[in-house]
Amino acid sequence: MPHHAPTPPWSSLRVDDVEPIVVGPGCLRRDLPSTPDIRAWVVDIAPGSQWPWVDTHDTGEVLFIVSGELIEGEQRIGAGSSVFFAPGSSHRPRTEQGVRIFGINPLSPPQRGATP
């Protein structure tokens, strides 16, 4: 399959160049450019830290563990893993060694039967 270069409009950036938002002690979020109906972000959680509140998902969420280890309940999830949280789910992630997570979540439920 031939490789095609991206065609405008597109953009790229270094994630570490995005200004972080302090969510809580040891928890930083970087919001990435995305579409009006999807939010994309990167979260860094420092070693020994936990997300400051229970994270609830009205529309669901997909995570990709970029580096480190995420702990959900008693389950340890390592780099290279993907985690899906269904709509209506909740969790409160933590880490002992630190973790970088890439995530995507829809901002509104899909419109069934809508016409463009």
PDB file of all heavy atoms in Angstrom, residues 80-116:
ATOM      1  N   GLY A  80       1.548   0.316  26.200  1.00  0.00           N
ATOM      2  CA  GLY A  80       1.129  -0.399  25.001  1.00  0.00           C
ATOM      3  C   GLY A  80      -0.279  -0.957  25.091  1.00  0.00           C
ATOM      4  O   GLY A  80      -0.777  -1.503  24.117  1.00  0.00           O
ATOM      5  N   SER A  81      -0.922  -0.795  26.234  1.00  0.00           N
ATOM      6  CA  SER A  81      -2.278  -1.316  26.433  1.00  0.00           C
ATOM      7  C   SER A  81      -3.318  -0.246  26.138  1.00  0.00           C
ATOM      8  O   SER A  81      -3.087   0.942  26.327  1.00  0.00           O
ATOM      9  CB  SER A  81      -2.472  -1.786  27.876  1.00  0.00           C
ATOM     10  OG  SER A  81      -1.572  -2.813  28.190  1.00  0.00           O
ATOM     11  N   SER A  82      -4.488  -0.692  25.715  1.00  0.00           N
ATOM     12  CA  SER A  82      -5.631   0.178  25.503  1.00  0.00           C
ATOM     13  C   SER A  82      -6.718  -0.232  26.487  1.00  0.00           C
ATOM     14  O   SER A  82      -6.900  -1.419  26.764  1.00  0.00           O
ATOM     15  CB  SER A  82      -6.143   0.044  24.065  1.00  0.00           C
ATOM     16  OG  SER A  82      -7.256   0.874  23.856  1.00  0.00           O
ATOM     17  N   VAL A  83      -7.438   0.754  27.015  1.00  0.00           N
ATOM     18  CA  VAL A  83      -8.512   0.503  27.975  1.00  0.00           C
ATOM     19  C   VAL A  83      -9.758   1.231  27.474  1.00  0.00           C
ATOM     20  O   VAL A  83      -9.673   2.391  27.076  1.00  0.00           O
ATOM     21  CB  VAL A  83      -8.149   1.027  29.382  1.00  0.00           C
ATOM     22  CG1 VAL A  83      -9.245   0.718  30.377  1.00  0.00           C
ATOM     23  CG2 VAL A  83      -6.816   0.469  29.848  1.00  0.00           C
ATOM     24  N   PHE A  84     -10.898   0.549  27.495  1.00  0.00           N
ATOM     25  CA  PHE A  84     -12.165   1.155  27.089  1.00  0.00           C
ATOM     26  C   PHE A  84     -13.080   1.237  28.299  1.00  0.00           C
ATOM     27  O   PHE A  84     -13.293   0.247  28.990  1.00  0.00           O
ATOM     28  CB  PHE A  84     -12.833   0.326  25.988  1.00  0.00           C
ATOM     29  CG  PHE A  84     -14.234   0.771  25.685  1.00  0.00           C
ATOM     30  CD1 PHE A  84     -14.468   1.986  25.063  1.00  0.00           C
ATOM     31  CD2 PHE A  84     -15.318  -0.010  26.030  1.00  0.00           C
ATOM     32  CE1 PHE A  84     -15.762   2.419  24.788  1.00  0.00           C
ATOM     33  CE2 PHE A  84     -16.610   0.402  25.763  1.00  0.00           C
ATOM     34  CZ  PHE A  84     -16.831   1.620  25.141  1.00  0.00           C
ATOM     35  N   PHE A  85     -13.612   2.433  28.542  1.00  0.00           N
ATOM     36  CA  PHE A  85     -14.609   2.646  29.584  1.00  0.00           C
ATOM     37  C   PHE A  85     -15.932   2.937  28.881  1.00  0.00           C
ATOM     38  O   PHE A  85     -16.048   3.914  28.144  1.00  0.00           O
ATOM     39  CB  PHE A  85     -14.226   3.814  30.503  1.00  0.00           C
ATOM     40  CG  PHE A  85     -13.024   3.522  31.339  1.00  0.00           C
ATOM     41  CD1 PHE A  85     -11.765   3.939  30.938  1.00  0.00           C
ATOM     42  CD2 PHE A  85     -13.140   2.805  32.520  1.00  0.00           C
ATOM     43  CE1 PHE A  85     -10.647   3.661  31.704  1.00  0.00           C
ATOM     44  CE2 PHE A  85     -12.020   2.512  33.292  1.00  0.00           C
ATOM     45  CZ  PHE A  85     -10.780   2.944  32.877  1.00  0.00           C
ATOM     46  N   ALA A  86     -16.927   2.095  29.091  1.00  0.00           N
ATOM     47  CA  ALA A  86     -18.226   2.238  28.440  1.00  0.00           C
ATOM     48  C   ALA A  86     -18.969   3.460  28.963  1.00  0.00           C
ATOM     49  O   ALA A  86     -18.701   3.930  30.074  1.00  0.00           O
ATOM     50  CB  ALA A  86     -19.061   0.975  28.694  1.00  0.00           C
ATOM     51  N   PRO A  87     -19.916   3.968  28.176  1.00  0.00           N
ATOM     52  CA  PRO A  87     -20.751   5.060  28.674  1.00  0.00           C
ATOM     53  C   PRO A  87     -21.397   4.667  30.007  1.00  0.00           C
ATOM     54  O   PRO A  87     -21.832   3.528  30.192  1.00  0.00           O
ATOM     55  CB  PRO A  87     -21.807   5.222  27.580  1.00  0.00           C
ATOM     56  CG  PRO A  87     -21.102   4.774  26.331  1.00  0.00           C
ATOM     57  CD  PRO A  87     -20.235   3.625  26.792  1.00  0.00           C
ATOM     58  N   GLY A  88     -21.395   5.598  30.955  1.00  0.00           N
ATOM     59  CA  GLY A  88     -21.953   5.346  32.281  1.00  0.00           C
ATOM     60  C   GLY A  88     -20.957   4.768  33.264  1.00  0.00           C
ATOM     61  O   GLY A  88     -21.282   4.585  34.439  1.00  0.00           O
ATOM     62  N   SER A  89     -19.737   4.482  32.830  1.00  0.00           N
ATOM     63  CA  SER A  89     -18.739   3.904  33.729  1.00  0.00           C
ATOM     64  C   SER A  89     -18.010   4.991  34.507  1.00  0.00           C
ATOM     65  O   SER A  89     -18.117   6.177  34.191  1.00  0.00           O
ATOM     66  CB  SER A  89     -17.729   3.073  32.931  1.00  0.00           C
ATOM     67  OG  SER A  89     -16.988   3.913  32.059  1.00  0.00           O
ATOM     68  N   SER A  90     -17.279   4.563  35.533  1.00  0.00           N
ATOM     69  CA  SER A  90     -16.457   5.498  36.301  1.00  0.00           C
ATOM     70  C   SER A  90     -15.231   4.762  36.830  1.00  0.00           C
ATOM     71  O   SER A  90     -15.224   3.535  36.918  1.00  0.00           O
ATOM     72  CB  SER A  90     -17.257   6.114  37.445  1.00  0.00           C
ATOM     73  OG  SER A  90     -17.681   5.122  38.345  1.00  0.00           O
ATOM     74  N   HIS A  91     -14.217   5.542  37.184  1.00  0.00           N
ATOM     75  CA  HIS A  91     -12.985   4.964  37.721  1.00  0.00           C
ATOM     76  C   HIS A  91     -12.177   6.070  38.378  1.00  0.00           C
ATOM     77  O   HIS A  91     -12.462   7.259  38.215  1.00  0.00           O
ATOM     78  CB  HIS A  91     -12.174   4.272  36.611  1.00  0.00           C
ATOM     79  CG  HIS A  91     -11.647   5.207  35.571  1.00  0.00           C
ATOM     80  ND1 HIS A  91     -10.307   5.323  35.288  1.00  0.00           N
ATOM     81  CD2 HIS A  91     -12.260   6.088  34.745  1.00  0.00           C
ATOM     82  CE1 HIS A  91     -10.129   6.216  34.334  1.00  0.00           C
ATOM     83  NE2 HIS A  91     -11.304   6.699  33.982  1.00  0.00           N
ATOM     84  N   ARG A  92     -11.161   5.680  39.134  1.00  0.00           N
ATOM     85  CA  ARG A  92     -10.236   6.634  39.755  1.00  0.00           C
ATOM     86  C   ARG A  92      -8.830   6.065  39.627  1.00  0.00           C
ATOM     87  O   ARG A  92      -8.356   5.317  40.495  1.00  0.00           O
ATOM     88  CB  ARG A  92     -10.609   6.876  41.210  1.00  0.00           C
ATOM     89  CG  ARG A  92      -9.785   8.001  41.806  1.00  0.00           C
ATOM     90  CD  ARG A  92     -10.291   8.423  43.152  1.00  0.00           C
ATOM     91  NE  ARG A  92      -9.495   9.547  43.635  1.00  0.00           N
ATOM     92  CZ  ARG A  92      -9.357   9.863  44.894  1.00  0.00           C
ATOM     93  NH1 ARG A  92      -9.999   9.163  45.827  1.00  0.00           N
ATOM     94  NH2 ARG A  92      -8.610  10.874  45.247  1.00  0.00           N
ATOM     95  N   PRO A  93      -8.132   6.412  38.537  1.00  0.00           N
ATOM     96  CA  PRO A  93      -6.821   5.817  38.276  1.00  0.00           C
ATOM     97  C   PRO A  93      -5.753   6.289  39.259  1.00  0.00           C
ATOM     98  O   PRO A  93      -5.835   7.376  39.823  1.00  0.00           O
ATOM     99  CB  PRO A  93      -6.494   6.284  36.855  1.00  0.00           C
ATOM    100  CG  PRO A  93      -7.311   7.509  36.647  1.00  0.00           C
ATOM    101  CD  PRO A  93      -8.531   7.348  37.496  1.00  0.00           C
ATOM    102  N   ARG A  94      -4.758   5.421  39.405  1.00  0.00           N
ATOM    103  CA  ARG A  94      -3.592   5.755  40.217  1.00  0.00           C
ATOM    104  C   ARG A  94      -2.382   5.075  39.586  1.00  0.00           C
ATOM    105  O   ARG A  94      -2.505   4.280  38.654  1.00  0.00           O
ATOM    106  CB  ARG A  94      -3.787   5.339  41.671  1.00  0.00           C
ATOM    107  CG  ARG A  94      -3.921   3.845  41.874  1.00  0.00           C
ATOM    108  CD  ARG A  94      -4.266   3.520  43.335  1.00  0.00           C
ATOM    109  NE  ARG A  94      -4.460   2.098  43.517  1.00  0.00           N
ATOM    110  CZ  ARG A  94      -3.508   1.232  43.839  1.00  0.00           C
ATOM    111  NH1 ARG A  94      -2.256   1.657  44.015  1.00  0.00           N
ATOM    112  NH2 ARG A  94      -3.778  -0.044  43.992  1.00  0.00           N
ATOM    113  N   THR A  95      -1.203   5.386  40.127  1.00  0.00           N
ATOM    114  CA  THR A  95       0.021   4.764  39.632  1.00  0.00           C
ATOM    115  C   THR A  95       1.058   4.756  40.744  1.00  0.00           C
ATOM    116  O   THR A  95       1.058   5.647  41.601  1.00  0.00           O
ATOM    117  CB  THR A  95       0.563   5.488  38.383  1.00  0.00           C
ATOM    118  OG1 THR A  95       1.714   4.787  37.892  1.00  0.00           O
ATOM    119  CG2 THR A  95       0.919   6.934  38.672  1.00  0.00           C
ATOM    120  N   GLU A  96       1.895   3.753  40.752  1.00  0.00           N
ATOM    121  CA  GLU A  96       3.017   3.716  41.693  1.00  0.00           C
ATOM    122  C   GLU A  96       4.293   4.207  41.029  1.00  0.00           C
ATOM    123  O   GLU A  96       5.122   4.838  41.660  1.00  0.00           O
ATOM    124  CB  GLU A  96       3.202   2.295  42.231  1.00  0.00           C
ATOM    125  CG  GLU A  96       2.055   1.860  43.134  1.00  0.00           C
ATOM    126  CD  GLU A  96       2.166   0.419  43.581  1.00  0.00           C
ATOM    127  OE1 GLU A  96       3.105  -0.300  43.164  1.00  0.00           O
ATOM    128  OE2 GLU A  96       1.281  -0.003  44.366  1.00  0.00           O
ATOM    129  N   GLN A  97       4.443   3.922  39.717  1.00  0.00           N
ATOM    130  CA  GLN A  97       5.692   4.261  39.029  1.00  0.00           C
ATOM    131  C   GLN A  97       5.577   5.451  38.090  1.00  0.00           C
ATOM    132  O   GLN A  97       6.568   5.877  37.515  1.00  0.00           O
ATOM    133  CB  GLN A  97       6.222   3.048  38.262  1.00  0.00           C
ATOM    134  CG  GLN A  97       5.283   2.533  37.200  1.00  0.00           C
ATOM    135  CD  GLN A  97       5.845   1.332  36.474  1.00  0.00           C
ATOM    136  OE1 GLN A  97       6.322   1.462  35.355  1.00  0.00           O
ATOM    137  NE2 GLN A  97       5.800   0.179  37.095  1.00  0.00           N
ATOM    138  N   GLY A  98       4.383   6.007  37.935  1.00  0.00           N
ATOM    139  CA  GLY A  98       4.150   7.089  36.988  1.00  0.00           C
ATOM    140  C   GLY A  98       3.558   6.523  35.712  1.00  0.00           C
ATOM    141  O   GLY A  98       3.773   5.356  35.369  1.00  0.00           O
ATOM    142  N   VAL A  99       2.767   7.368  35.013  1.00  0.00           N
ATOM    143  CA  VAL A  99       2.123   6.902  33.787  1.00  0.00           C
ATOM    144  C   VAL A  99       1.826   8.097  32.885  1.00  0.00           C
ATOM    145  O   VAL A  99       1.553   9.195  33.366  1.00  0.00           O
ATOM    146  CB  VAL A  99       0.825   6.108  34.107  1.00  0.00           C
ATOM    147  CG1 VAL A  99      -0.248   6.996  34.722  1.00  0.00           C
ATOM    148  CG2 VAL A  99       0.292   5.384  32.882  1.00  0.00           C
ATOM    149  N   ARG A 100       1.927   7.865  31.581  1.00  0.00           N
ATOM    150  CA  ARG A 100       1.469   8.817  30.568  1.00  0.00           C
ATOM    151  C   ARG A 100       0.374   8.120  29.782  1.00  0.00           C
ATOM    152  O   ARG A 100       0.563   7.009  29.289  1.00  0.00           O
ATOM    153  CB  ARG A 100       2.585   9.258  29.639  1.00  0.00           C
ATOM    154  CG  ARG A 100       2.047  10.130  28.493  1.00  0.00           C
ATOM    155  CD  ARG A 100       3.102  10.849  27.732  1.00  0.00           C
ATOM    156  NE  ARG A 100       3.307  12.150  28.370  1.00  0.00           N
ATOM    157  CZ  ARG A 100       4.015  13.125  27.831  1.00  0.00           C
ATOM    158  NH1 ARG A 100       4.604  12.958  26.663  1.00  0.00           N
ATOM    159  NH2 ARG A 100       4.155  14.268  28.467  1.00  0.00           N
ATOM    160  N   ILE A 101      -0.775   8.804  29.675  1.00  0.00           N
ATOM    161  CA  ILE A 101      -1.965   8.236  29.041  1.00  0.00           C
ATOM    162  C   ILE A 101      -2.419   9.166  27.921  1.00  0.00           C
ATOM    163  O   ILE A 101      -2.501  10.381  28.113  1.00  0.00           O
ATOM    164  CB  ILE A 101      -3.116   8.128  30.065  1.00  0.00           C
ATOM    165  CG1 ILE A 101      -2.683   7.341  31.295  1.00  0.00           C
ATOM    166  CG2 ILE A 101      -4.358   7.530  29.428  1.00  0.00           C
ATOM    167  CD1 ILE A 101      -3.591   7.560  32.497  1.00  0.00           C
ATOM    168  N   PHE A 102      -2.731   8.599  26.761  1.00  0.00           N
ATOM    169  CA  PHE A 102      -3.402   9.327  25.691  1.00  0.00           C
ATOM    170  C   PHE A 102      -4.855   8.909  25.742  1.00  0.00           C
ATOM    171  O   PHE A 102      -5.159   7.723  25.847  1.00  0.00           O
ATOM    172  CB  PHE A 102      -2.797   8.982  24.328  1.00  0.00           C
ATOM    173  CG  PHE A 102      -3.610   9.491  23.172  1.00  0.00           C
ATOM    174  CD1 PHE A 102      -3.594  10.838  22.836  1.00  0.00           C
ATOM    175  CD2 PHE A 102      -4.399   8.627  22.435  1.00  0.00           C
ATOM    176  CE1 PHE A 102      -4.346  11.312  21.779  1.00  0.00           C
ATOM    177  CE2 PHE A 102      -5.150   9.095  21.377  1.00  0.00           C
ATOM    178  CZ  PHE A 102      -5.130  10.439  21.048  1.00  0.00           C
ATOM    179  N   GLY A 103      -5.772   9.863  25.700  1.00  0.00           N
ATOM    180  CA  GLY A 103      -7.183   9.534  25.781  1.00  0.00           C
ATOM    181  C   GLY A 103      -8.037  10.297  24.801  1.00  0.00           C
ATOM    182  O   GLY A 103      -7.686  11.386  24.352  1.00  0.00           O
ATOM    183  N   ILE A 104      -9.170   9.674  24.482  1.00  0.00           N
ATOM    184  CA  ILE A 104     -10.173  10.267  23.602  1.00  0.00           C
ATOM    185  C   ILE A 104     -11.535   9.991  24.224  1.00  0.00           C
ATOM    186  O   ILE A 104     -11.797   8.875  24.679  1.00  0.00           O
ATOM    187  CB  ILE A 104     -10.140   9.632  22.198  1.00  0.00           C
ATOM    188  CG1 ILE A 104      -8.786   9.807  21.542  1.00  0.00           C
ATOM    189  CG2 ILE A 104     -11.243  10.203  21.316  1.00  0.00           C
ATOM    190  CD1 ILE A 104      -8.650   9.057  20.239  1.00  0.00           C
ATOM    191  N   ASN A 105     -12.382  11.019  24.246  1.00  0.00           N
ATOM    192  CA  ASN A 105     -13.758  10.770  24.625  1.00  0.00           C
ATOM    193  C   ASN A 105     -14.701  11.677  23.853  1.00  0.00           C
ATOM    194  O   ASN A 105     -14.390  12.839  23.598  1.00  0.00           O
ATOM    195  CB  ASN A 105     -13.980  10.843  26.140  1.00  0.00           C
ATOM    196  CG  ASN A 105     -13.546  12.129  26.770  1.00  0.00           C
ATOM    197  OD1 ASN A 105     -12.469  12.634  26.488  1.00  0.00           O
ATOM    198  ND2 ASN A 105     -14.363  12.656  27.636  1.00  0.00           N
ATOM    199  N   PRO A 106     -15.862  11.111  23.447  1.00  0.00           N
ATOM    200  CA  PRO A 106     -16.858  11.910  22.743  1.00  0.00           C
ATOM    201  C   PRO A 106     -17.440  12.969  23.680  1.00  0.00           C
ATOM    202  O   PRO A 106     -17.594  12.728  24.876  1.00  0.00           O
ATOM    203  CB  PRO A 106     -17.942  10.908  22.349  1.00  0.00           C
ATOM    204  CG  PRO A 106     -17.366   9.563  22.597  1.00  0.00           C
ATOM    205  CD  PRO A 106     -16.265   9.722  23.577  1.00  0.00           C
ATOM    206  N   LEU A 107     -17.760  14.139  23.122  1.00  0.00           N
ATOM    207  CA  LEU A 107     -18.337  15.202  23.932  1.00  0.00           C
ATOM    208  C   LEU A 107     -19.855  15.140  23.991  1.00  0.00           C
ATOM    209  O   LEU A 107     -20.462  15.724  24.866  1.00  0.00           O
ATOM    210  CB  LEU A 107     -17.891  16.560  23.396  1.00  0.00           C
ATOM    211  CG  LEU A 107     -16.397  16.820  23.558  1.00  0.00           C
ATOM    212  CD1 LEU A 107     -16.016  18.131  22.904  1.00  0.00           C
ATOM    213  CD2 LEU A 107     -16.018  16.840  25.029  1.00  0.00           C
ATOM    214  N   SER A 108     -20.479  14.435  23.052  1.00  0.00           N
ATOM    215  CA  SER A 108     -21.932  14.296  23.074  1.00  0.00           C
ATOM    216  C   SER A 108     -22.304  12.950  22.489  1.00  0.00           C
ATOM    217  O   SER A 108     -21.555  12.383  21.708  1.00  0.00           O
ATOM    218  CB  SER A 108     -22.591  15.425  22.281  1.00  0.00           C
ATOM    219  OG  SER A 108     -22.171  15.376  20.941  1.00  0.00           O
ATOM    220  N   PRO A 109     -23.468  12.429  22.865  1.00  0.00           N
ATOM    221  CA  PRO A 109     -23.877  11.127  22.312  1.00  0.00           C
ATOM    222  C   PRO A 109     -24.063  11.217  20.808  1.00  0.00           C
ATOM    223  O   PRO A 109     -24.433  12.266  20.282  1.00  0.00           O
ATOM    224  CB  PRO A 109     -25.204  10.827  23.002  1.00  0.00           C
ATOM    225  CG  PRO A 109     -25.412  11.877  24.020  1.00  0.00           C
ATOM    226  CD  PRO A 109     -24.432  12.978  23.780  1.00  0.00           C
ATOM    227  N   PRO A 110     -23.827  10.109  20.095  1.00  0.00           N
ATOM    228  CA  PRO A 110     -24.036  10.111  18.650  1.00  0.00           C
ATOM    229  C   PRO A 110     -25.510  10.381  18.326  1.00  0.00           C
ATOM    230  O   PRO A 110     -26.396   9.958  19.055  1.00  0.00           O
ATOM    231  CB  PRO A 110     -23.617   8.713  18.199  1.00  0.00           C
ATOM    232  CG  PRO A 110     -23.459   7.912  19.430  1.00  0.00           C
ATOM    233  CD  PRO A 110     -23.387   8.842  20.603  1.00  0.00           C
ATOM    234  N   GLN A 111     -25.746  11.081  17.230  1.00  0.00           N
ATOM    235  CA  GLN A 111     -27.108  11.387  16.795  1.00  0.00           C
ATOM    236  C   GLN A 111     -27.574  10.295  15.842  1.00  0.00           C
ATOM    237  O   GLN A 111     -27.153  10.236  14.703  1.00  0.00           O
ATOM    238  CB  GLN A 111     -27.132  12.762  16.108  1.00  0.00           C
ATOM    239  CG  GLN A 111     -26.679  13.890  16.993  1.00  0.00           C
ATOM    240  CD  GLN A 111     -27.598  14.079  18.182  1.00  0.00           C
ATOM    241  OE1 GLN A 111     -28.814  14.090  18.032  1.00  0.00           O
ATOM    242  NE2 GLN A 111     -27.024  14.217  19.361  1.00  0.00           N
ATOM    243  N   ARG A 112     -28.440   9.434  16.308  1.00  0.00           N
ATOM    244  CA  ARG A 112     -28.948   8.346  15.453  1.00  0.00           C
ATOM    245  C   ARG A 112     -30.023   8.874  14.514  1.00  0.00           C
ATOM    246  O   ARG A 112     -30.903   9.630  14.941  1.00  0.00           O
ATOM    247  CB  ARG A 112     -29.505   7.228  16.319  1.00  0.00           C
ATOM    248  CG  ARG A 112     -28.445   6.625  17.217  1.00  0.00           C
ATOM    249  CD  ARG A 112     -28.935   5.322  17.810  1.00  0.00           C
ATOM    250  NE  ARG A 112     -28.031   4.848  18.829  1.00  0.00           N
ATOM    251  CZ  ARG A 112     -26.888   4.222  18.586  1.00  0.00           C
ATOM    252  NH1 ARG A 112     -26.505   4.022  17.368  1.00  0.00           N
ATOM    253  NH2 ARG A 112     -26.125   3.817  19.568  1.00  0.00           N
ATOM    254  N   GLY A 113     -29.923   8.482  13.264  1.00  0.00           N
ATOM    255  CA  GLY A 113     -30.921   8.868  12.280  1.00  0.00           C
ATOM    256  C   GLY A 113     -30.786  10.301  11.798  1.00  0.00           C
ATOM    257  O   GLY A 113     -31.609  10.757  11.011  1.00  0.00           O
ATOM    258  N   ALA A 114     -29.773  11.002  12.261  1.00  0.00           N
ATOM    259  CA  ALA A 114     -29.583  12.388  11.811  1.00  0.00           C
ATOM    260  C   ALA A 114     -29.086  12.388  10.373  1.00  0.00           C
ATOM    261  O   ALA A 114     -28.338  11.505   9.965  1.00  0.00           O
ATOM    262  CB  ALA A 114     -28.594  13.105  12.712  1.00  0.00           C
ATOM    263  N   THR A 115     -29.504  13.352   9.618  1.00  0.00           N
ATOM    264  CA  THR A 115     -29.022  13.475   8.248  1.00  0.00           C
ATOM    265  C   THR A 115     -28.083  14.653   8.145  1.00  0.00           C
ATOM    266  O   THR A 115     -28.275  15.661   8.830  1.00  0.00           O
ATOM    267  CB  THR A 115     -30.206  13.669   7.270  1.00  0.00           C
ATOM    268  OG1 THR A 115     -30.948  14.805   7.690  1.00  0.00           O
ATOM    269  CG2 THR A 115     -31.083  12.446   7.237  1.00  0.00           C
ATOM    270  N   PRO A 116     -27.052  14.521   7.309  1.00  0.00           N
ATOM    271  CA  PRO A 116     -26.076  15.616   7.196  1.00  0.00           C
ATOM    272  C   PRO A 116     -26.662  16.842   6.551  1.00  0.00           C
ATOM    273  O   PRO A 116     -27.634  16.864   5.920  1.00  0.00           O
ATOM    274  CB  PRO A 116     -24.966  15.027   6.350  1.00  0.00           C
ATOM    275  CG  PRO A 116     -25.415  13.710   5.852  1.00  0.00           C
ATOM    276  CD  PRO A 116     -26.694  13.374   6.538  1.00  0.00           C
TER     277      PRO A 116
END
